[in-house]
Amino acid sequence: MSEIRSAPVRAAVGVGQGDPVRPGGRAGAPLWWVWLAAWPVTAVFVLSNAATPLYVLWQRDIGFSKGTLTVVFAFYIVGLLGSLLVSGVVSDRIGRKPVLLPALGLALVACLIFATATGVAALIVARLFTGIAVGAVVSAGMAAVTDVAGHERRRTGALLASCAMVFGAGLGPFLAGVLSETLPAPTVTVFAVEAALLLTAVSAVLRMPLRRPAAPAKGAWVRVPSVPRGHGRQLIQGIAVFAPGITATSFVLSLGPSLLSGLLGTTSRITAGAMAFAMFLAATAVQFAVRRLRRRTILAAGASSTALGMIMLVVAVHASSAPVLLASALLAGAGQGLGQLGGLSLLSSGIPPQRLAEANAALNVGGYVLAGVLPVSAGYLSDAVGLTAGATVFGVVLMSLAVTGGLVVLAARRQANVPGVDGAR
């Protein structure tokens, strides 16, 4: 189904019996469509981390250091942040599909480059393209899930959008680990399978029941994403918890295989992929478990989980304990999932649909800037002083940031109890 152009008053078009209706007449699609709308988010995030278990192969065949590995990872962040400067605003103005379809096309190109990579430059380009595609998906794709869900299911939409992201992020390395260990030509096989998943996502986007926005464009098309006036407090709270959470999982994705190799003496791609999958499975499960709690309670729990995860990381590297490292990864995953769900829910609860993709982009910019800087710094520090010392410094710094984020949320919750200050709980 192509996008439907709606009038500024958002007249109800094609509303069936039993469909939830937004104030002003905008209806949500049937629930199964909400789940299907989340699939493109999952498919692109499978690609985002599919390379994780394969880096040990590329390091062996091409030859590069831990610092170079984190630079390759950082180009993903560069592409993502650059995409977020554009995709949210464009999606809100011309529609979700015109942003999602080119993004899926670029993701398919990234698969081709990964499958044929013979040098660091190719890996950098593939990661850059992947980051651009992911930037479009976390703004336009996640907003599309909320749009399809409709006003009456806005919390369900935020939940499914967030879970689609973290489930895909976990499925990617696990699928890649299993395929690369059990089938020939591992890098080719992994990205051929991912390309097939992306093609099914293209089909879902083409059929997605979305309306094309009719509001006139205002302001620059390329800009740092922001939220409407009066919603800055919600954005700050989301970033304060989401940023440390996603930085923790980014560290596990980039340097986790090296830590496992040091602790277990194994370079098994299935083991590395399974740890990443378990981390993001925890991120998915915890969101369903807390979905009925107040938003700020979810955020406070996310900050606590990330801080505890970093304490466990420091213990793991000093005690050379793989089980403690796994516990750290699970807590990091829970921290990202809770921070992401809390942030998205706060934004979707009050921001109008015509600014929602830009708001999602703003949340992710705040998160991914930190996720790009700290793991890269930890990678080069580990090359200089050793992985144990590098991981310790990283853990202490990130634990401090997570605690600070929790204090920001608690201060906002106390302020929200003052009548007329901020009722979004």
Side-chain angles (χ1 to χ4, degrees):
M1 181 185 296
S2 62
E3 287 183 308
I4 303 168
R5 184 174 297 277
S6 60
V9 295
R10 296 186 302 214
V13 179
V15 179
Q17 290 184 345
D19 287 337
V21 181
R22 288 182 181 270
R26 186 169 182 178
L31 184 58
W32 64 269
W33 250 118
V34 185
W35 285 85
L36 189 58
W39 170 242
V41 178
T42 299
V44 172
F45 270 91
V46 169
L47 174 64
S48 72
N49 293 330
T52 297
L54 304 176
Y55 285 128
V56 291
L57 293 179
W58 285 315
Q59 281 184 297
R60 181 196 66 194
D61 297 338
I62 299 172
F64 50 85
S65 67
K66 298 182 187 71
T68 301
L69 173 58
T70 53
V71 168
V72 172
F73 186 87
F75 266 88
Y76 163 80
I77 305 294
V78 170
L80 189 151
L81 293 176
S83 177
L84 289 173
L85 297 179
V86 182
S87 56
V89 175
V90 173
S91 171
D92 285 336
R93 291 183 179 180
I94 68 174
R96 313 304 185 203
K97 293 183 184 182
V99 173
L100 289 174
L101 290 173
L104 290 168
L106 198 60
L108 286 165
V109 174
C111 286
L112 177 62
I113 298 173
F114 270 130
T116 58
T118 57
V120 172
L123 296 178
I124 286 174
V125 172
R127 287 296 284 170
L128 181 68
F129 285 1
T130 301
I132 295 172
V134 168
V137 163
V138 298
S139 53
M142 297 175 83
V145 179
T146 305
D147 288 348
V148 172
H151 178 76
E152 296 300 322
R153 291 193 299 243
R154 61 188 183 278
R155 290 199 69 159
T156 299
L159 173 65
L160 292 182
S162 183
C163 288
M165 172 180 169
V166 293
F167 181 72
L171 181 60
F174 180 66
L175 186 64
V178 172
L179 292 176
S180 66
E181 289 278 9
T182 58
L183 296 176
T187 56
V188 175
T189 301
V190 166
F191 293 105
V193 171
E194 167 57 10
L197 297 180
L198 289 169
L199 289 173
T200 65
V202 170
S203 176
V205 170
L206 289 172
R207 297 172 177 270
M208 204 175 291
L210 291 168
R211 296 172 175 83
R212 191 185 303 274
K218 296 180 181 179
W221 286 77
V222 180
R223 64 184 187 225
V224 176
S226 62
V227 294
R229 186 180 300 276
H231 294 276
R233 187 178 292 111
Q234 289 96 321
L235 177 63
I236 290 172
Q237 292 171 65
I239 291 175
V241 179
F242 174 56
I246 197 169
T247 302
T249 57
S250 296
F251 177 84
V252 174
L253 289 170
S254 59
L255 292 179
S258 297
L259 286 169
L260 280 176
S261 176
L263 296 177
L264 297 179
T266 178
T267 57
S268 168
R269 296 184 292 279
I270 293 179
T271 301
M275 184 174 74
F277 181 67
M279 177 174 68
F280 286 111
L281 191 62
T284 303
V286 73
Q287 293 182 67
F288 280 97
V290 304
R291 66 188 184 278
R292 299 188 185 280
L293 298 180
R294 289 183 173 183
R295 298 175 179 92
R296 290 193 177 92
T297 301
I298 293 172
L299 286 171
S304 301
S305 183
T306 301
L308 184 57
M310 292 304 96
I311 293 173
M312 299 290 278
L313 172 65
V314 174
V315 172
V317 296
H318 283 275
S320 298
S321 172
V324 177
L325 178 63
L326 176 59
S328 171
L330 295 177
L331 287 165
Q336 178 188 334
L338 292 167
Q340 184 173 296
L341 176 61
L344 288 172
S345 297
L346 273 180
L347 295 177
S348 66
S349 66
I351 292 178
Q354 60 268 27
R355 291 291 303 277
L356 186 56
E358 185 180 358
N360 288 347
L363 176 68
N364 282 278
V365 166
Y368 278 104
V369 166
L370 187 65
V373 172
L374 277 189
V376 169
S377 302
Y380 276 104
L381 183 62
S382 298
D383 284 336
V385 302
L387 193 54
T388 297
T392 299
V393 172
F394 174 86
V396 170
V397 170
L398 198 60
M399 179 191 66
S400 301
L401 292 174
V403 170
T404 301
L407 294 175
V408 168
V409 172
L410 291 176
R413 185 160 61 181
R414 286 195 296 269
Q415 194 174 25
N417 292 328
V418 179
V421 174
D422 180 6
R425 298 183 182 182

